[in-house]
Amino acid sequence: ATAGPGTGETFEIALLRARSTKQRDRIGSLVINPGGPGGSGVDTAVFLSFGPAFGGLPSAVTERFDIVGFDPRGVQRSSPVECISDGDLDASFGYDPDPRDQESFDGFVALNQKVGQGCGAKYGDQLPLYGTEQAARDMDAVRAAVGDDKLTYLGYSYGTLLGATYAQLYPQRVRALVLDGAVDPRQGPVAGSESQAKGFERAFTNFTRWCTANAGRCPIAPDARAAVTSAIDKARVSPVRGADGREATAGWVFYAVISSLYTEQGWQELAGAIDRLEGGDPKDVFRLADSYAGRDGDGHYSNLFDANLAVNCADEDEKPSVPQIRQLQSQWREKYPLFGPALAVGLLGCAEWPGGRDPYPTGAA
């Protein structure tokens, strides 16, 4: 357990260690972070310990290292941040990803203000203590707790930023780092969001090309982009209602798309979901979007996005203004038509977030 400097606050950090029964010539521990921020290292360590046949780590790794996962402070089992209601998360994910008219945009600003006020009322001065630098200091406590003189680390996506921050703080304690899908620590929130919009557009273009080349497996071929864009536009005015009464609004369709672009394995599933939505069945759209959002069948959410906001907003030493975000929404719509506006208005989360900031250190690698 570690504390923020000068605060007297203590955080309990949940750990899991997986050790192969075939281990030999042990080198030490391999510490895991799956990204997010808000992803569970405990869950990921379990998955990666299953071996290459199930998508896990190679036996050459598991036979030499213990696999150690931890939930960073604020995430799942480690003093979880929980301050956003299921209803507000439903409203946020279901909201129009590109609220064009001023009334709709102002409504999304108000929703983000409501979320920020609720989290500020619950956690107050604690909010800056969930930032990446504090998590990196926790990671050094993990290193010491498992008995390693130096850290061996595997981080994905946001986990690369956590690893890079650790290396800035403790360069003499690094044995080896793998940073997969690296975040540039020098990017501010605007540049970071724009790079995500650009990346999603590229991934979506790859999906549409796959559809064209594999029409037998892609029921929305030959023009997948038009099919997806049309599905989102239709959902704005006449969302399809599911068997349970839930409406597949433009936001839910958009997040079904987002959830399917991280790996090529999701492409056929996405094409089928959009095709079935056109036929009046939104079940698969909800399943894809809910898997991304961490929403279960009863409408309850994990704390993934509570923690995501808390960490990201604590990290930022700059925040764009609401008028600047409105301008970016329009600019990015021209450059990144499907994803730019949503990534722009997504900046409202930290723009309306209360509390101080605790930016992580950066410098030459």
Side-chain angles (χ1 to χ4, degrees):
T2 61
T7 66
E9 299 290 345
T10 298
F11 293 83
E12 298 296 327
I13 305 300
L15 303 176
L16 179 138
R17 176 167 59 193
R19 180 176 289 166
S20 172
T21 56
K22 299 178 182 178
Q23 194 178 91
R24 55 181 173 75
D25 300 325
R26 179 181 178 276
I27 294 172
S29 301
L30 175 62
V31 178
I32 305 289
N33 182 273
S40 167
V42 170
D43 294 349
T44 305
V46 172
F47 170 74
L48 291 178
S49 72
F50 288 160
F54 300 95
L57 291 167
S59 56
V61 174
T62 57
E63 289 176 9
R64 304 297 299 280
F65 291 92
D66 299 340
I67 310 305
V68 173
F70 74 104
D71 288 353
R73 60 168 69 184
V75 175
Q76 288 205 21
R77 306 163 186 85
S78 297
S79 303
V81 175
E82 295 174 317
C83 55
I84 310 177
S85 71
D86 291 338
D88 285 344
L89 283 165
D90 269 350
S92 181
F93 282 108
Y95 212 89
D96 191 329
D98 184 11
R100 295 200 182 198
D101 65 79
Q102 194 61 44
E103 182 180 2
S104 182
F105 179 80
D106 290 344
F108 199 54
V109 173
L111 177 58
N112 280 275
Q113 288 173 337
K114 181 184 177 185
V115 167
Q117 289 166 0
C119 292
K122 183 170 182 178
Y123 292 103
D125 293 341
Q126 276 193 322
L127 286 176
L129 302 181
Y130 294 101
T132 296
E133 179 176 349
Q134 296 305 316
R137 296 187 183 280
D138 292 343
M139 199 153 66
D140 196 54
V142 170
R143 175 202 57 76
V146 298
D148 286 3
D149 292 331
K150 293 189 175 184
L151 178 73
T152 306
Y153 175 76
L154 170 59
Y156 302 96
S157 189
Y158 161 79
T160 68
L161 179 63
L162 183 58
T165 301
Y166 182 92
Q168 284 290 332
L169 293 171
Y170 307 107
Q172 74 284 5
R173 296 181 191 167
V174 172
R175 177 189 168 275
L177 306 178
V178 175
L179 307 181
D180 184 346
V183 174
D184 184 347
R186 299 163 300 180
Q187 280 188 336
V190 172
S193 290
E194 183 173 8
S195 71
Q196 281 204 313
K198 183 178 180 180
F200 276 121
E201 285 288 348
R202 179 185 296 170
F204 186 74
T205 296
N206 290 339
F207 160 69
T208 62
R209 289 172 177 165
W210 171 86
C211 262
T212 302
N214 296 272
R217 298 165 60 197
C218 180
I220 59 173
D223 193 346
R225 180 177 287 272
V228 169
T229 302
S230 173
I232 293 173
D233 287 342
K234 287 180 181 178
R236 286 189 168 100
V237 293
S238 56
V240 177
R241 189 181 296 272
D244 61 354
R246 185 178 169 199
E247 292 187 337
T249 61
W252 289 116
V253 179
F254 176 79
Y255 280 106
V257 177
I258 285 278
S259 73
S260 305
L261 296 180
Y262 286 86
T263 69
E264 294 179 24
Q265 285 72 29
W267 290 354
Q268 189 170 358
E269 211 173 354
L270 171 61
I274 296 297
D275 182 57
R276 284 185 282 277
L277 178 68
E278 176 68 20
D281 182 3
K283 181 176 64 176
D284 289 338
V285 160
F286 283 134
R287 182 173 52 78
L288 290 172
D290 288 353
S291 69
Y292 177 83
R295 186 186 194 273
D296 67 21
D298 296 322
H300 300 308
Y301 287 80
S302 72
N303 88 315
L304 172 62
F305 283 91
D306 308 60
N308 185 275
L309 261 180
V311 175
N312 281 332
C313 299
D315 283 350
E316 290 186 3
D317 57 354
E318 59 174 279
K319 62 178 182 178
S321 66
V322 172
Q324 183 184 357
I325 291 170
R326 184 65 160 157
Q327 188 175 26
L328 289 172
Q329 179 189 5
S330 177
Q331 292 172 354
W332 291 359
R333 188 184 300 120
E334 297 300 315
K335 297 168 72 175
Y336 321 106
L338 192 53
F339 302 95
L343 267 295
V345 298
L347 291 164
L348 288 168
C350 288
E352 300 297 339
W353 191 255
R357 301 294 196 259
D358 183 21
Y360 48 80
T362 60

